[in-house]
Amino acid sequence: EVQLVESGGGLVQPGGSLRLSCVASGFTFSNYWMTWVRQAPGKGLEWVANIKQDGSDRYYVDSVEGRFTISRDNAKNSLFLQMNSLRAEDTAVYYCAKNRGSGSYVDYWGQGTLVTVSS
Amino acid sequence: EIVLTQSPGTLSLSPGERATLSCRASQSIGSSYLAWYQQKPGQAPRLLIYGASSRATGIPDRFSGSGSGTDFTLTISRLEPEDFAVYYCQQYGSSPRTFGQGTKVESK
């Protein structure tokens, strides 16, 4: 059974940093692209970033480019999102997600971790 | 960036009725790289349809997807009580991957 378990969310002040983690199990992690998707309270889904199997390709939505970094550790079946210079508008539930093919649709989702940016 | 516009914003229907949800893209989506997801309150989204018309594993056949280019449709042939939820389309033909704003299917 595929499982994706996020951690690292919490309350942070504007301008601060946070590192999200996602531990994957139930599939060969190193064979798949992975993605972060976020959802602001009461709002829709927003694709944030994705990363190729070996980490050699990474893509970001414009609003986080230069502030967020997606990375992975295939030996530990783990996906990360380093978030710097956080803003109030980054407040959201962040979902770790497994892609089916080359950066394609998401076939499995984690339960999400809440990030709140507020003073 | 490809913008996806979903309509209507809210669909009020009764169990047993047919639901038709639309997703329109600002430019053509190559190879029908369009997916649909269902999300219920407090839950993560769930994949329903990929490749515009292929059902994901375990999805009932009352859910169907169609369309190509810029116009796509998700149809639920006969609504069951568990189908009342928010539905999102997503394109994965170009970066950044983008989602529509969602259509809420509510019980009338």
Side-chain angles (χ1 to χ4, degrees), chain A residues 8-82:
Chain A
L11 175 63
V12 61
Q13 291 189 338
S17 298
L18 215 53
R19 189 191 196 212
L20 305 184
S21 300
C22 170
V23 177
S25 61
F27 65 102
T28 305
F29 180 75
S30 58
N31 285 356
Y32 294 92
W33 282 72
M34 295 293 293
T35 291
W36 287 100
V37 175
R38 68 184 178 182
Q39 186 169 35
K43 302 298 184 182
L45 302 172
E46 181 180 35
W47 180 91
V48 174
N50 65 359
I51 185 168
K52 195 176 179 180
Q53 290 95 325
D54 62 359
S56 60
D57 285 334
R58 314 173 195 209
Y59 299 91
Y60 301 90
V61 68
D62 284 352
S63 59
V64 309
E65 182 86 58
R67 299 188 299 123
F68 289 12
T69 302
I70 188 172
S71 62
R72 64 192 296 162
D73 183 340
N74 287 341
K76 296 182 177 179
N77 291 341
S78 294
L79 177 71
F80 306 101
L81 187 67
Q82 176 66 44

Side-chain angles (χ1 to χ4, degrees), chain A residues 33 37 39 43-47 50 59-62 95 102-112, chain B residues 1 35 37 39 42-47 49-51 57 88 90 92 95-102:
Chain A
W33 282 72
V37 175
Q39 186 169 35
K43 302 298 184 182
L45 302 172
E46 181 180 35
W47 180 91
N50 65 359
Y59 299 91
Y60 301 90
V61 68
D62 284 352
Y95 293 103
S102 299
S104 72
Y105 58 90
V106 171
D107 57 357
Y108 290 96
W109 301 72
Q111 282 305 302
Chain B
E1 171 179 321
Y37 304 90
Q39 188 179 34
Q43 296 184 17
R46 176 176 72 145
L47 175 68
I49 301 287
Y50 62 92
T57 302
Y88 295 94
Q90 184 212 9
Y92 50 96
S95 284
R97 312 311 196 207
T98 48
F99 289 91
Q101 82 278 19

